[in-house]
Amino acid sequence: KILLCFVPAISNPGGDESEHWINGVPSNEMSAKLDMVHDLLRKLIEVIPMIPVTLKKKIRQNFPYFKQLNVKMAAYIHNILKILDYCPVITYDVFELLFEK
């Protein structure tokens, strides 16, 4: 469920988050929210050594479909690339997924 935070909510009762993503880059407000999610994920990776294995599978499963809005694709890719900063062991799998899609 943590990875679902990386896809902006569009047309939901809580508001449209696409306005916080300009040209695939999050606004300062959105960036602060996402930093909290990345901090949590970073701590989980430090504590549970098998998380990268599960993370690879979940990144692939949650990848937005091509018919999704561009803002969803850009936001998801932005965030999974940010994961590589603190979990470089999955780099090959992430790039394989990106080039495959």
Side-chain angles (χ1 to χ4, degrees):
K1 291 197 175 210
I2 293 173
L3 293 178
L4 296 178
C5 296
F6 296 151
V7 180
I10 309 290
S11 301
N12 66 3
D16 187 354
E17 292 181 350
S18 65
E19 64 191 29
H20 296 288
W21 288 88
I22 288 75
N23 296 327
V25 179
S27 66
N28 291 337
E29 179 184 334
M30 182 58 69
S31 186
K33 289 179 184 179
L34 291 170
D35 284 345
M36 289 189 295
V37 176
H38 283 288
D39 286 340
L40 172 64
L41 194 54
R42 183 179 299 116
K43 289 175 184 175
L44 286 172
I45 289 170
E46 290 173 5
V47 175
I48 306 170
M50 290 304 295
I51 289 282
V53 174
T54 306
L55 190 58
K56 289 188 296 190
K57 293 176 188 172
K58 292 300 177 181
I59 286 173
R60 182 174 289 278
Q61 287 174 354
N62 291 318
F63 200 88
Y65 293 105
F66 290 113
K67 295 189 180 194
Q68 295 285 335
L69 297 173
N70 288 340
V71 68
K72 287 187 175 190
M73 294 284 283
Y76 192 76
I77 292 170
H78 172 86
N79 283 296
I80 61 172
L81 290 176
K82 191 169 182 176
I83 290 173
L84 298 181
D85 288 342
Y86 52 88
C87 188
V89 72
I90 65 170
T91 301
Y92 176 80
D93 298 290
V94 168
F95 281 109
E96 180 182 47
L97 172 67
L98 292 175
F99 290 124
E100 179 181 290
K101 299 292 180 180

XYZ file of all heavy atoms in Angstrom:
822
model
N 0.818 -1.205 0.000
C 0.000 0.000 0.000
C 0.855 1.260 0.000
O 0.386 2.308 -0.409
C -0.920 -0.004 1.205
C -1.987 -1.056 1.110
C -3.097 -0.781 2.064
C -4.177 -1.800 1.828
N -5.468 -1.331 2.122
N 2.088 1.148 0.450
C 2.964 2.313 0.479
C 3.205 2.832 -0.937
O 3.196 4.033 -1.175
C 4.299 1.984 1.173
C 4.071 1.715 2.653
C 5.298 3.113 0.999
C 5.292 1.224 3.386
N 3.377 1.928 -1.881
C 3.648 2.341 -3.257
C 2.470 3.063 -3.893
O 2.651 3.846 -4.820
C 4.033 1.132 -4.113
C 5.361 0.466 -3.763
C 5.588 -0.734 -4.664
C 6.516 1.426 -3.854
N 1.273 2.821 -3.412
C 0.110 3.514 -3.962
C 0.145 5.010 -3.641
O -0.519 5.796 -4.310
C -1.177 2.879 -3.441
C -1.401 1.426 -3.882
C -2.678 0.875 -3.261
C -1.439 1.310 -5.387
N 0.930 5.398 -2.664
C 1.091 6.827 -2.349
C 1.856 7.561 -3.449
O 1.829 8.783 -3.515
C 1.836 6.997 -1.030
S 0.959 6.364 0.406
N 2.550 6.807 -4.289
C 3.356 7.405 -5.338
C 2.559 7.782 -6.577
O 3.064 8.436 -7.477
C 4.496 6.478 -5.740
C 5.483 6.224 -4.642
C 6.180 5.034 -4.586
C 5.729 7.164 -3.666
C 7.106 4.791 -3.592
C 6.647 6.940 -2.660
C 7.341 5.754 -2.619
N 1.310 7.351 -6.655
C 0.453 7.677 -7.784
C -0.536 8.742 -7.323
O -1.292 8.519 -6.389
C -0.307 6.430 -8.296
C -1.203 6.790 -9.468
C 0.673 5.337 -8.696
N -0.530 9.912 -7.944
C -1.431 10.980 -7.507
C -2.901 10.586 -7.638
O -3.290 9.938 -8.604
C -1.118 12.147 -8.430
C 0.024 11.752 -9.257
C 0.270 10.302 -9.085
N -3.669 10.980 -6.638
C -5.115 10.747 -6.682
C -5.736 11.793 -7.599
O -5.494 12.986 -7.450
C -5.699 10.854 -5.282
N -6.502 11.334 -8.550
C -7.162 12.219 -9.507
C -8.670 12.037 -9.342
O -9.165 10.919 -9.306
C -6.758 11.872 -10.960
C -5.252 11.780 -11.116
C -7.363 12.845 -11.941
C -4.492 13.058 -11.016
N -9.369 13.143 -9.253
C -10.837 13.137 -9.168
C -11.351 12.287 -8.008
O -12.208 11.443 -8.174
C -11.450 12.626 -10.474
O -11.055 13.432 -11.538
N -10.789 12.503 -6.847
C -11.308 11.815 -5.675
C -11.937 12.846 -4.738
O -11.728 14.044 -4.912
C -10.211 11.018 -4.967
C -9.135 11.891 -4.360
O -9.203 13.108 -4.404
N -8.133 11.280 -3.791
N -12.697 12.404 -3.726
C -13.332 13.367 -2.826
C -12.339 14.251 -2.083
O -12.650 15.367 -1.703
C -14.100 12.470 -1.850
C -14.283 11.178 -2.554
C -13.098 11.043 -3.471
N -11.095 13.778 -1.893
C -10.089 14.557 -1.176
C -9.424 15.618 -2.023
O -8.643 16.419 -1.539
N -9.700 15.625 -3.306
C -9.114 16.635 -4.183
C -8.287 16.023 -5.291
O -8.025 14.835 -5.322
N -7.899 16.875 -6.188
C -7.126 16.472 -7.350
C -5.665 16.798 -7.081
O -5.292 17.958 -6.951
C -7.640 17.220 -8.581
C -7.009 16.737 -9.871
O -6.090 15.906 -9.805
O -7.440 17.204 -10.928
N -4.821 15.762 -6.995
C -3.407 15.965 -6.702
C -2.576 16.257 -7.947
O -1.392 16.533 -7.843
C -2.845 14.741 -5.975
C -3.412 14.561 -4.589
C -2.837 13.354 -3.875
O -2.132 12.544 -4.502
O -3.098 13.229 -2.675
N -3.182 16.196 -9.125
C -2.402 16.428 -10.350
C -1.878 17.850 -10.420
O -0.867 18.108 -11.069
C -3.231 16.108 -11.590
O -4.317 16.994 -11.717
N -2.530 18.773 -9.750
C -2.063 20.160 -9.759
C -0.737 20.320 -9.012
O -0.049 21.324 -9.166
C -3.116 21.076 -9.153
C -3.385 20.803 -7.684
C -4.608 21.518 -7.155
O -5.539 21.769 -7.923
O -4.610 21.823 -5.953
N -0.366 19.330 -8.210
C 0.892 19.366 -7.470
C 2.055 18.782 -8.268
O 3.170 18.707 -7.769
C 0.762 18.612 -6.144
C -0.220 19.240 -5.201
N 0.027 20.417 -4.550
C -1.460 18.850 -4.834
C -1.010 20.727 -3.796
N -1.934 19.792 -3.951
N 1.780 18.345 -9.487
C 2.811 17.777 -10.354
C 2.885 18.605 -11.625
O 2.016 18.532 -12.471
C 2.479 16.322 -10.698
C 2.663 15.410 -9.537
C 1.733 15.102 -8.588
C 3.842 14.712 -9.191
N 2.277 14.250 -7.676
C 3.570 13.989 -8.016
C 5.109 14.618 -9.762
C 4.521 13.184 -7.402
C 6.049 13.821 -9.145
C 5.753 13.113 -7.986
N 3.942 19.394 -11.754
C 4.138 20.211 -12.940
C 5.322 19.631 -13.710
O 6.436 19.549 -13.188
C 4.397 21.693 -12.574
C 3.160 22.392 -12.062
C 4.773 22.482 -13.808
C 2.592 22.230 -10.829
N 5.075 19.213 -14.954
C 6.108 18.636 -15.819
C 6.825 17.456 -15.159
O 8.035 17.290 -15.292
C 7.121 19.699 -16.248
C 6.499 20.768 -17.098
O 5.581 20.508 -17.865
N 6.973 21.989 -16.958
N 6.080 16.641 -14.433
C 6.648 15.449 -13.816
C 7.433 15.692 -12.550
O 8.067 14.787 -12.027
N 7.393 16.917 -12.039
C 8.126 17.265 -10.823
C 7.121 17.684 -9.757
O 6.234 18.499 -10.031
C 9.129 18.413 -11.103
C 9.881 18.801 -9.842
C 10.084 18.028 -12.213
N 7.256 17.136 -8.539
C 6.292 17.486 -7.495
C 6.518 18.899 -6.961
O 7.640 19.409 -6.940
C 6.553 16.453 -6.399
C 7.970 16.046 -6.585
C 8.232 16.156 -8.073
N 5.431 19.518 -6.529
C 5.531 20.825 -5.875
C 6.237 20.639 -4.535
O 6.444 19.508 -4.079
C 4.140 21.410 -5.661
O 3.426 20.619 -4.727
N 6.599 21.731 -3.897
C 7.265 21.650 -2.594
C 6.393 20.945 -1.567
O 6.869 20.145 -0.766
C 7.652 23.044 -2.103
C 8.757 23.650 -2.930
O 9.521 22.949 -3.574
N 8.838 24.973 -2.928
N 5.103 21.251 -1.602
C 4.156 20.628 -0.668
C 4.075 19.117 -0.900
O 4.140 18.327 0.042
C 2.774 21.267 -0.841
C 1.700 20.687 0.041
C 0.339 21.289 -0.260
O 0.259 22.443 -0.751
O -0.658 20.596 -0.006
N 3.934 18.718 -2.140
C 3.853 17.297 -2.475
C 5.174 16.603 -2.184
O 5.208 15.476 -1.701
C 3.465 17.116 -3.937
C 3.308 15.666 -4.362
S 2.095 14.719 -3.444
C 0.585 15.467 -3.998
N 6.271 17.275 -2.459
C 7.588 16.709 -2.197
C 7.782 16.427 -0.711
O 8.343 15.389 -0.342
C 8.669 17.655 -2.708
O 9.923 17.060 -2.592
N 7.297 17.317 0.139
C 7.398 17.107 1.587
C 6.590 15.878 2.014
O 7.041 15.088 2.852
C 6.915 18.347 2.335
N 5.397 15.707 1.423
C 4.575 14.537 1.750
C 5.261 13.249 1.284
O 5.285 12.251 1.997
C 3.198 14.651 1.083
C 2.312 15.697 1.691
C 0.988 15.767 0.953
C 0.113 16.877 1.479
N -1.162 16.971 0.741
N 5.806 13.294 0.081
C 6.459 12.101 -0.457
C 7.741 11.761 0.297
O 8.097 10.588 0.426
C 6.751 12.287 -1.942
C 5.522 12.310 -2.843
C 5.898 12.731 -4.248
C 4.826 10.968 -2.853
N 8.431 12.779 0.799
C 9.637 12.531 1.586
C 9.323 11.712 2.837
O 10.118 10.857 3.238
C 10.322 13.837 1.971
C 11.078 14.462 0.804
O 11.313 13.756 -0.203
O 11.428 15.655 0.910
N 8.167 11.948 3.439
C 7.769 11.157 4.610
C 7.547 9.699 4.222
O 7.943 8.785 4.951
C 6.506 11.734 5.245
C 6.729 13.057 5.950
S 5.325 13.622 6.926
C 4.100 13.906 5.666
N 6.958 9.473 3.066
C 6.732 8.104 2.587
C 8.071 7.429 2.294
O 8.299 6.277 2.669
C 5.831 8.102 1.337
C 5.671 6.694 0.780
C 4.470 8.704 1.648
N 8.975 8.159 1.653
C 10.299 7.594 1.353
C 11.086 7.329 2.630
O 11.804 6.329 2.702
C 11.077 8.521 0.415
C 10.636 8.434 -1.008
N 10.902 7.352 -1.814
C 9.917 9.293 -1.780
C 10.393 7.545 -3.007
N 9.779 8.721 -3.019
N 10.957 8.184 3.629
C 11.633 7.938 4.909
C 11.127 6.654 5.549
O 11.913 5.860 6.081
C 11.436 9.117 5.861
C 12.265 10.324 5.479
O 13.257 10.158 4.723
O 11.934 11.440 5.926
N 9.817 6.447 5.517
C 9.246 5.220 6.061
C 9.759 4.003 5.308
O 10.189 3.019 5.919
C 7.714 5.276 5.992
C 6.987 3.987 6.356
C 7.233 3.615 7.811
C 5.504 4.126 6.073
N 9.755 4.081 4.004
C 10.232 2.966 3.191
C 11.715 2.697 3.433
O 12.146 1.537 3.537
C 9.965 3.262 1.711
C 10.073 2.119 0.733
C 9.212 0.938 1.143
C 9.666 2.596 -0.649
N 12.489 3.754 3.562
C 13.929 3.620 3.840
C 14.148 2.904 5.173
O 14.987 1.994 5.275
C 14.577 5.004 3.874
C 16.074 4.974 4.077
C 16.688 6.366 4.089
N 16.463 7.059 2.833
C 15.734 8.172 2.692
N 15.150 8.723 3.732
N 15.588 8.731 1.518
N 13.384 3.263 6.182
C 13.519 2.629 7.503
C 13.101 1.163 7.458
O 13.727 0.320 8.094
C 12.710 3.396 8.535
C 13.329 4.738 8.855
C 12.480 5.558 9.791
C 13.121 6.932 9.982
N 12.306 7.826 10.773
N 12.058 0.864 6.713
C 11.625 -0.529 6.577
C 12.700 -1.368 5.891
O 12.946 -2.515 6.275
C 10.319 -0.611 5.792
C 9.064 -0.168 6.520
C 7.882 -0.130 5.564
C 8.767 -1.075 7.697
N 13.343 -0.805 4.892
C 14.409 -1.516 4.187
C 15.582 -1.791 5.119
O 16.202 -2.851 5.068
C 14.849 -0.740 2.930
C 13.748 -0.809 1.875
C 16.160 -1.270 2.368
C 13.954 0.116 0.701
N 15.888 -0.840 6.004
C 16.982 -1.024 6.956
C 16.673 -2.114 7.976
O 17.558 -2.872 8.367
C 17.263 0.284 7.696
C 17.892 1.352 6.838
C 17.999 2.684 7.559
O 17.673 2.755 8.769
O 18.402 3.674 6.916
N 15.427 -2.210 8.379
C 15.037 -3.131 9.438
C 14.744 -4.543 8.907
O 15.070 -5.531 9.545
C 13.795 -2.594 10.193
C 13.293 -3.572 11.217
C 14.134 -1.268 10.852
N 14.125 -4.621 7.733
C 13.715 -5.917 7.180
C 14.526 -6.190 5.914
O 14.278 -5.589 4.864
C 12.204 -5.916 6.865
C 11.404 -5.516 8.098
C 11.768 -7.285 6.349
C 9.944 -5.248 7.830
N 15.494 -7.088 5.999
C 16.400 -7.311 4.861
C 15.738 -7.866 3.598
O 16.276 -7.707 2.510
C 17.423 -8.308 5.388
C 17.064 -8.621 6.773
C 15.837 -7.894 7.152
N 14.589 -8.503 3.699
C 13.945 -9.095 2.531
C 13.018 -8.128 1.795
O 12.423 -8.489 0.787
C 13.142 -10.336 2.944
C 14.033 -11.509 3.356
S 15.220 -11.980 2.091
C 14.147 -12.560 0.814
N 12.902 -6.905 2.258
C 12.012 -5.927 1.624
C 12.367 -5.692 0.150
O 11.469 -5.612 -0.677
C 12.010 -4.601 2.415
C 11.293 -4.773 3.739
C 11.397 -3.469 1.613
C 9.796 -4.780 3.668
N 13.637 -5.577 -0.240
C 13.922 -5.334 -1.663
C 13.339 -6.392 -2.597
O 12.896 -6.071 -3.705
C 15.448 -5.301 -1.730
C 15.857 -4.817 -0.385
C 14.872 -5.466 0.557
N 13.304 -7.639 -2.165
C 12.743 -8.703 -2.998
C 11.249 -8.454 -3.216
O 10.744 -8.526 -4.342
C 12.970 -10.084 -2.339
C 12.257 -11.181 -3.119
C 14.455 -10.378 -2.220
N 10.548 -8.156 -2.146
C 9.119 -7.872 -2.232
C 8.879 -6.571 -2.979
O 7.932 -6.461 -3.761
C 8.509 -7.778 -0.823
O 8.822 -8.965 -0.110
C 7.022 -7.587 -0.869
N 9.734 -5.596 -2.751
C 9.591 -4.289 -3.380
C 9.656 -4.389 -4.901
O 8.874 -3.745 -5.606
C 10.672 -3.349 -2.847
C 10.572 -1.886 -3.174
C 9.258 -1.304 -2.670
C 11.744 -1.141 -2.557
N 10.559 -5.210 -5.415
C 10.664 -5.396 -6.875
C 9.345 -5.891 -7.449
O 8.878 -5.386 -8.479
C 11.773 -6.401 -7.205
C 13.159 -5.899 -6.968
C 14.198 -6.855 -7.476
C 14.190 -8.185 -6.765
N 15.351 -9.029 -7.093
N 8.743 -6.857 -6.795
C 7.474 -7.417 -7.281
C 6.360 -6.385 -7.222
O 5.562 -6.248 -8.149
C 7.090 -8.634 -6.450
C 8.011 -9.808 -6.616
C 7.621 -10.928 -5.690
C 8.657 -12.035 -5.719
N 8.407 -13.051 -4.697
N 6.295 -5.651 -6.128
C 5.215 -4.682 -5.947
C 5.360 -3.485 -6.880
O 4.375 -2.929 -7.341
C 5.145 -4.220 -4.491
C 4.706 -5.313 -3.544
C 3.339 -5.819 -3.924
C 2.887 -6.963 -3.058
N 1.572 -7.466 -3.458
N 6.582 -3.079 -7.163
C 6.798 -1.984 -8.112
C 6.245 -2.383 -9.473
O 5.575 -1.609 -10.141
C 8.294 -1.604 -8.198
C 8.708 -0.839 -6.939
C 8.576 -0.784 -9.446
C 10.195 -0.570 -6.840
N 6.507 -3.609 -9.875
C 6.008 -4.105 -11.162
C 4.478 -4.205 -11.148
O 3.815 -3.798 -12.106
C 6.625 -5.470 -11.458
C 6.198 -6.045 -12.787
C 6.949 -7.326 -13.107
N 8.343 -7.092 -13.438
C 8.776 -6.711 -14.635
N 7.931 -6.520 -15.602
N 10.059 -6.533 -14.862
N 3.908 -4.732 -10.075
C 2.452 -4.910 -9.995
C 1.705 -3.586 -9.993
O 0.605 -3.490 -10.527
C 2.071 -5.690 -8.735
C 2.410 -7.150 -8.801
C 2.148 -7.861 -7.487
O 1.808 -7.245 -6.488
N 2.321 -9.169 -7.486
N 2.263 -2.566 -9.361
C 1.574 -1.287 -9.219
C 1.879 -0.290 -10.323
O 1.400 0.837 -10.282
C 1.902 -0.657 -7.863
C 1.292 -1.426 -6.731
O 0.155 -1.869 -6.797
N 2.050 -1.620 -5.665
N 2.670 -0.709 -11.312
C 3.019 0.205 -12.393
C 1.741 0.629 -13.111
O 0.937 -0.217 -13.511
C 3.980 -0.469 -13.376
C 4.741 0.499 -14.213
C 5.936 1.012 -13.761
C 4.260 0.921 -15.439
C 6.661 1.915 -14.519
C 4.963 1.821 -16.204
C 6.167 2.325 -15.739
N 1.518 1.929 -13.285
C 0.282 2.389 -13.940
C 0.207 1.904 -15.386
O 1.208 1.834 -16.087
C 0.396 3.915 -13.909
C 1.435 4.217 -12.891
C 2.348 3.035 -12.849
N -0.978 1.569 -15.812
C -1.192 1.135 -17.182
C -0.979 2.291 -18.143
O -1.099 3.448 -17.776
C -2.603 0.576 -17.354
C -2.819 -0.700 -16.606
C -3.557 -0.718 -15.437
C -2.283 -1.896 -17.063
C -3.755 -1.902 -14.732
C -2.475 -3.074 -16.371
C -3.212 -3.069 -15.204
O -3.391 -4.222 -14.516
N -0.710 1.973 -19.400
C -0.444 3.001 -20.404
C -1.617 3.944 -20.613
O -1.439 5.073 -20.997
C -0.076 2.353 -21.743
C 1.264 1.695 -21.713
C 1.366 0.323 -21.810
C 2.407 2.439 -21.572
C 2.606 -0.286 -21.774
C 3.645 1.845 -21.539
C 3.743 0.467 -21.632
N -2.808 3.477 -20.374
C -3.975 4.317 -20.606
C -4.255 5.257 -19.437
O -5.212 6.009 -19.469
C -5.188 3.449 -20.911
C -4.998 2.699 -22.213
C -6.232 1.999 -22.658
C -5.906 1.289 -23.975
N -7.044 0.849 -24.682
N -3.417 5.218 -18.414
C -3.547 6.139 -17.292
C -3.080 7.527 -17.736
O -2.397 7.687 -18.750
C -2.698 5.668 -16.106
C -3.147 4.366 -15.511
C -4.401 4.519 -14.681
O -4.708 5.588 -14.161
N -5.144 3.437 -14.554
N -3.414 8.517 -16.949
C -2.972 9.876 -17.244
C -1.453 9.983 -17.143
O -0.818 9.294 -16.345
C -3.619 10.859 -16.267
C -5.145 10.959 -16.340
C -5.665 11.818 -15.216
C -5.560 11.541 -17.682
N -0.877 10.868 -17.942
C 0.578 11.061 -17.929
C 1.096 11.465 -16.564
O 2.201 11.085 -16.184
C 0.977 12.112 -18.964
C 0.843 11.607 -20.374
O 0.804 10.405 -20.608
N 0.760 12.521 -21.313
N 0.324 12.238 -15.823
C 0.777 12.684 -14.511
C 0.955 11.498 -13.566
O 1.877 11.483 -12.751
C -0.183 13.752 -13.916
C -1.540 13.159 -13.579
C 0.415 14.412 -12.694
N 0.122 10.479 -13.703
C 0.274 9.287 -12.865
C 1.542 8.529 -13.218
O 2.270 8.077 -12.340
C -0.943 8.369 -13.012
C -2.185 8.888 -12.339
C -3.288 7.856 -12.386
C -4.481 8.337 -11.602
N -5.483 7.275 -11.435
N 1.806 8.392 -14.503
C 3.017 7.698 -14.944
C 4.269 8.448 -14.493
O 5.201 7.851 -13.958
C 3.026 7.568 -16.470
C 1.950 6.685 -17.030
S 2.287 4.956 -16.806
C 3.496 4.703 -18.072
N 4.273 9.761 -14.709
C 5.444 10.574 -14.346
C 5.689 10.538 -12.844
O 6.832 10.418 -12.397
C 5.242 12.011 -14.813
N 4.634 10.624 -12.058
C 4.776 10.610 -10.598
C 5.310 9.268 -10.122
O 6.212 9.210 -9.271
C 3.437 10.919 -9.935
N 4.790 8.189 -10.661
C 5.224 6.857 -10.245
C 6.690 6.640 -10.612
O 7.482 6.184 -9.793
C 4.338 5.791 -10.884
C 4.525 4.425 -10.280
C 3.984 4.123 -9.041
C 5.245 3.434 -10.944
C 4.154 2.868 -8.475
C 5.420 2.186 -10.392
C 4.867 1.897 -9.156
O 5.046 0.656 -8.595
N 7.052 6.980 -11.836
C 8.442 6.802 -12.262
C 9.379 7.679 -11.440
O 10.457 7.243 -11.021
C 8.574 7.079 -13.777
C 7.853 5.985 -14.557
C 10.037 7.174 -14.200
C 7.709 6.258 -16.040
N 8.982 8.921 -11.186
C 9.781 9.818 -10.356
C 10.070 9.177 -8.995
O 11.200 9.198 -8.512
C 9.036 11.146 -10.172
C 9.668 12.072 -9.202
N 10.666 12.954 -9.565
C 9.465 12.267 -7.878
C 11.040 13.642 -8.509
N 10.326 13.246 -7.466
N 9.051 8.595 -8.401
C 9.209 8.026 -7.066
C 9.971 6.710 -7.051
O 10.763 6.471 -6.136
C 7.836 7.861 -6.403
C 7.326 9.177 -5.916
O 7.897 9.794 -5.042
N 6.231 9.643 -6.494
N 9.775 5.861 -8.055
C 10.555 4.622 -8.029
C 12.030 4.899 -8.332
O 12.898 4.196 -7.818
C 9.979 3.514 -8.936
C 9.941 3.906 -10.392
C 8.631 3.062 -8.445
C 9.553 2.764 -11.319
N 12.318 5.939 -9.105
C 13.719 6.308 -9.307
C 14.320 6.873 -8.029
O 15.503 6.669 -7.745
C 13.853 7.299 -10.463
C 13.581 6.733 -11.854
C 13.643 7.834 -12.901
C 14.547 5.611 -12.179
N 13.507 7.549 -7.245
C 13.984 8.072 -5.954
C 14.284 6.926 -4.984
O 15.190 7.027 -4.164
C 12.947 9.027 -5.365
C 13.456 9.796 -4.184
C 12.509 10.902 -3.804
C 13.093 11.679 -2.636
N 12.269 12.818 -2.285
N 13.547 5.832 -5.092
C 13.805 4.655 -4.249
C 15.215 4.129 -4.502
O 15.881 3.643 -3.589
C 12.754 3.555 -4.505
C 11.394 3.991 -3.969
C 13.169 2.231 -3.863
C 10.252 3.054 -4.329
N 15.691 4.250 -5.731
C 17.021 3.740 -6.068
C 18.131 4.450 -5.296
O 19.219 3.899 -5.142
C 17.266 3.851 -7.574
C 16.323 3.042 -8.459
C 16.688 3.236 -9.917
C 16.306 1.589 -8.071
N 17.867 5.654 -4.786
C 18.867 6.365 -3.980
C 19.208 5.597 -2.712
O 20.354 5.591 -2.272
C 18.355 7.758 -3.588
C 18.330 8.721 -4.752
O 19.003 8.451 -5.773
O 17.633 9.746 -4.637
N 18.219 4.962 -2.109
C 18.463 4.261 -0.843
C 18.287 2.754 -0.942
O 18.488 2.041 0.040
C 17.581 4.828 0.274
C 16.106 4.912 -0.032
C 15.261 3.853 0.214
C 15.557 6.079 -0.554
C 13.914 3.938 -0.059
C 14.210 6.175 -0.828
C 13.395 5.096 -0.572
O 12.052 5.190 -0.844
N 17.946 2.256 -2.109
C 17.849 0.804 -2.331
C 18.422 0.468 -3.714
O 17.697 0.028 -4.604
C 16.400 0.356 -2.195
S 16.201 -1.431 -2.212
N 19.727 0.667 -3.885
C 20.327 0.475 -5.216
C 20.333 -0.977 -5.687
O 20.519 -1.228 -6.877
C 21.750 1.005 -5.040
C 22.024 0.908 -3.586
C 20.707 1.096 -2.900
N 20.082 -1.914 -4.806
C 20.110 -3.320 -5.182
C 19.025 -3.673 -6.211
O 19.172 -4.640 -6.948
C 20.018 -4.221 -3.923
C 18.634 -4.183 -3.325
C 20.443 -5.624 -4.227
N 17.986 -2.874 -6.324
C 16.908 -3.168 -7.276
C 17.025 -2.354 -8.572
O 16.122 -2.370 -9.393
C 15.520 -2.954 -6.630
C 15.282 -1.486 -6.274
C 15.320 -3.855 -5.442
C 13.852 -1.188 -5.865
N 18.142 -1.692 -8.760
C 18.329 -0.822 -9.926
C 18.101 -1.559 -11.240
O 17.368 -1.082 -12.111
C 19.737 -0.203 -9.917
O 19.894 0.543 -8.714
C 19.948 0.707 -11.107
N 18.715 -2.709 -11.399
C 18.582 -3.454 -12.651
C 17.116 -3.764 -12.939
O 16.644 -3.587 -14.070
C 19.397 -4.746 -12.589
C 19.221 -5.605 -13.818
C 19.914 -5.316 -14.993
C 18.333 -6.677 -13.812
C 19.736 -6.082 -16.130
C 18.152 -7.443 -14.948
C 18.853 -7.144 -16.101
O 18.670 -7.898 -17.225
N 16.391 -4.229 -11.922
C 14.992 -4.606 -12.111
C 14.112 -3.409 -12.453
O 13.190 -3.520 -13.269
C 14.466 -5.306 -10.853
C 15.224 -6.586 -10.575
O 15.046 -7.536 -11.352
O 15.998 -6.618 -9.597
N 14.390 -2.274 -11.837
C 13.598 -1.072 -12.114
C 13.837 -0.597 -13.539
O 12.884 -0.307 -14.277
C 13.915 0.052 -11.095
C 13.335 1.380 -11.554
C 13.388 -0.319 -9.722
N 15.083 -0.555 -13.965
C 15.360 -0.123 -15.336
C 14.840 -1.122 -16.358
O 14.368 -0.740 -17.433
C 16.849 0.166 -15.542
C 17.250 1.502 -15.014
C 18.034 1.621 -13.874
C 16.824 2.660 -15.635
C 18.381 2.859 -13.379
C 17.169 3.908 -15.156
C 17.948 4.007 -14.016
N 14.891 -2.389 -16.031
C 14.315 -3.393 -16.913
C 12.818 -3.162 -17.078
O 12.297 -3.211 -18.197
C 14.566 -4.794 -16.345
C 14.008 -5.907 -17.189
C 14.233 -7.262 -16.564
O 13.968 -7.439 -15.355
O 14.681 -8.148 -17.304
N 12.134 -2.856 -16.000
C 10.704 -2.567 -16.052
C 10.415 -1.324 -16.883
O 9.519 -1.321 -17.718
C 10.155 -2.376 -14.634
C 8.722 -1.887 -14.509
C 7.747 -2.942 -15.016
C 8.415 -1.502 -13.083
N 11.209 -0.271 -16.684
C 10.978 0.974 -17.414
C 11.190 0.806 -18.914
O 10.422 1.341 -19.715
C 11.881 2.082 -16.875
C 11.579 2.556 -15.463
C 12.623 3.567 -15.012
C 10.189 3.135 -15.356
N 12.216 0.087 -19.291
C 12.478 -0.101 -20.717
C 11.504 -1.094 -21.350
O 11.254 -1.049 -22.539
C 13.912 -0.530 -20.954
C 14.895 0.564 -20.677
C 15.937 0.381 -19.772
C 14.786 1.805 -21.298
C 16.834 1.404 -19.514
C 15.669 2.827 -21.042
C 16.695 2.619 -20.156
N 10.982 -1.978 -20.532
C 10.009 -2.961 -21.011
C 8.679 -2.299 -21.301
O 7.985 -2.639 -22.245
C 9.840 -4.024 -19.918
C 8.868 -5.111 -20.192
C 8.801 -6.047 -19.007
O 9.783 -6.774 -18.770
O 7.781 -6.041 -18.314
N 8.286 -1.346 -20.475
C 6.994 -0.666 -20.622
C 7.121 0.363 -21.678
O 6.638 0.807 -22.447
C 6.555 -0.022 -19.305
C 6.370 -0.984 -18.170
C 5.203 -1.873 -18.397
C 5.021 -2.835 -17.235
N 3.944 -3.701 -17.361
